[in-house]
Amino acid sequence: MPYDDCPPPTRHARPLSVAAALAAVCLTAAGCGGGPETGEAGAASPRPGPDATTSAAPTPTGKQPLPKGPLTGRTVVIDPGHNPGNRDHTREINRQVDIGTGRKECDTTGTAANDGYAEARFTLDVSHRLRALLEAEGARVRLTHDADRPFGPCIDERARIGNEAKADAVVSVHADGSAVGNRGFHVILPAEVKGGGADTSKIVKSSADLGARIAGHFARTTGSAPSNYIGGNTGLDTRDDLGGLNLSTVPKVFVECGNMRDPKDAALLTAASWRQKAAQGLADGIAGYLKG
């Protein structure tokens, strides 16, 4: 995930092999079977147009008891990257916030496909689908936002929401904005960092486990390959410059589901049927991690 205002990310650990990431799927025999940036800070994206397909409508949750299931008693926080309103609040989202090891913009607009389908709308759609799948297994699910606020939340608040919920897992949903020809998904893992309010020493290992399981299930369920431009074909990348990871005290990863600026990837990301597969892959990876 290239960033216009950041140097290339520092690698802090040898990435897992593709086989190792995919092996996380096989816990039991029954379980086997650059353009505009998209991260915490960078260039603005085109204004979003209508969705290429009908998005899954947000479903109010918490009004009825959750069903009993394998994830009963577990808490998952889903962090839909960006906010559709960010484009109208550039002054507010450009405000610098403390990420422990430095300062960074509160949030960014995210990227968009060439037809105007915005990353912020993609992330909300996948997050709604993911919430429904996890709640069906009994998990308590909280979104960091649901387009219910004018902009943001800021990256430090996004981390704080997961921390205060004492989440068993946090997943930040994104899509990349790289060059044409750059394809595939990757999962961003927190590096071991300590400085200011950041100390990831207690979550590096658990986050790596969460990320590897998501990578394996995501590839299997969506049919997408690991990124051909980040992570050495492992689908995993370790970063020390993302406030949403640096400030987390609970297991957390970012998932870049594909590259919105590549026409072939964009055709997947703008299809409702593929977004459902993406949500299922994420849900299966999270469930595999939580079930141990």
Side-chain angles (χ1 to χ4, degrees):
M1 175 171 58
Y3 283 70
D4 295 336
D5 61 343
C6 297
T10 302
R11 269 58 176 178
H12 290 265
R14 182 185 299 274
L16 297 179
S17 65
V18 176
L22 292 175
V25 178
C26 303
L27 301 179
T28 65
C32 281
E37 61 79 41
T38 65
E40 290 182 353
S45 67
R47 280 181 175 269
D51 287 2
T53 55
T54 302
S55 296
T59 302
T61 59
K63 295 183 179 180
Q64 297 180 346
L66 291 169
K68 295 290 184 181
L71 300 185
T72 295
R74 298 298 194 130
T75 299
V76 178
V77 170
I78 304 170
D79 180 26
H82 315 289
N83 182 323
N86 280 1
R87 70 185 190 275
D88 298 319
H89 294 272
T90 54
R91 180 179 62 83
E92 291 90 346
I93 66 171
N94 284 333
R95 177 174 63 86
Q96 297 279 306
V97 298
D98 189 352
I99 65 167
T101 56
R103 299 186 69 80
K104 211 167 187 180
E105 286 87 347
C106 157
D107 203 2
T108 62
T109 60
T111 190
N114 290 334
D115 66 359
Y117 181 59
E119 179 190 2
R121 299 180 74 171
F122 168 84
T123 65
L124 276 170
D125 180 87
V126 172
S127 295
H128 293 152
R129 297 170 188 272
L130 176 56
R131 176 176 60 188
L133 291 168
L134 292 172
E135 288 185 338
E137 293 198 59
R140 293 186 298 268
V141 180
R142 178 176 179 182
L143 269 60
T144 58
H145 77 94
D146 201 359
D148 50 355
R149 52 193 296 168
F151 63 91
C154 293
I155 55 179
D156 56 341
E157 183 182 353
R158 289 173 186 265
R160 192 159 56 247
I161 290 169
N163 297 344
E164 291 176 352
K166 295 181 172 56
D168 296 294
V170 183
V171 174
S172 189
V173 181
H174 287 266
D176 210 353
S178 188
V180 173
N182 289 344
R183 297 198 61 196
F185 73 91
H186 63 278
V187 182
I188 304 175
L189 314 175
E192 187 162 344
V193 298
K194 189 169 185 178
D199 183 357
T200 61
S201 59
K202 295 181 179 179
I203 66 162
V204 167
K205 184 176 179 180
S206 54
S207 297
D209 184 15
L210 171 64
R213 291 172 188 268
I214 287 175
H217 281 282
F218 196 89
R220 175 174 176 258
T221 304
T222 65
S224 292
S227 169
N228 64 6
Y229 62 103
I230 287 177
N233 295 314
T234 66
L236 301 170
D237 186 42
T238 301
R239 301 270 307 255
D240 64 0
D241 62 329
L242 301 179
L245 296 181
N246 288 358
L247 298 174
S248 184
T249 59
V250 294
K252 182 174 182 178
V253 298
F254 281 38
V255 182
E256 297 283 358
C257 296
N259 177 18
M260 298 196 88
R261 307 299 288 178
D262 177 84
K264 292 181 179 179
D265 265 13
L268 300 175
L269 297 166
T270 56
S273 59
W274 188 88
R275 294 197 298 272
Q276 186 64 33
K277 292 179 182 179
Q280 187 69 63
L282 294 171
D284 290 345
I286 294 167
Y289 166 76
L290 294 177
K291 294 171 187 176

